[in-house]
Amino acid sequence: MSGDDVQQFFEHMGAVVLYSAVSVVIVMLVFELLNRRYNLMHEVFEENSTAAGIFAGSFVIGIFYAVTQIVLS
């Protein structure tokens, strides 16, 4: 392994950490918006609404998928 390989590894690792942090922040913001608008946590945990859980999960998976596609392109 040369010094260039190690430097390139840490550059890529930094990019992964950065995009992961950005996607987690985006998911937290969207989930908080959904919770405020639709009272999502109440629907999921107290009303036992399966549809609300699927709704929230689809948003989370969709955002992570979009960020993954951006990183891979």
Side-chain angles (χ1 to χ4, degrees), residues 36-58:
R36 288 185 182 184
R37 183 172 175 120
Y38 300 111
N39 204 7
L40 200 57
M41 297 305 284
H42 173 74
E43 289 290 325
V44 171
F45 291 112
E46 293 185 21
E47 300 292 329
N48 293 326
S49 174
T50 303
I54 292 171
F55 178 70
S58 66

Side-chain angles (χ1 to χ4, degrees), residues 14-70:
V16 167
V17 169
L18 176 67
Y19 280 116
S20 297
V22 167
S23 62
V24 167
V25 168
I26 291 171
V27 165
M28 287 174 26
L29 290 174
V30 168
F31 198 78
E32 185 62 32
L33 257 165
L34 291 174
N35 191 32
R36 288 185 182 184
R37 183 172 175 120
Y38 300 111
N39 204 7
L40 200 57
M41 297 305 284
H42 173 74
E43 289 290 325
V44 171
F45 291 112
E46 293 185 21
E47 300 292 329
N48 293 326
S49 174
T50 303
I54 292 171
F55 178 70
S58 66
F59 269 101
V60 170
I61 291 172
I63 291 169
F64 280 134
Y65 180 76
V67 171
T68 301
Q69 292 303 312
I70 291 169

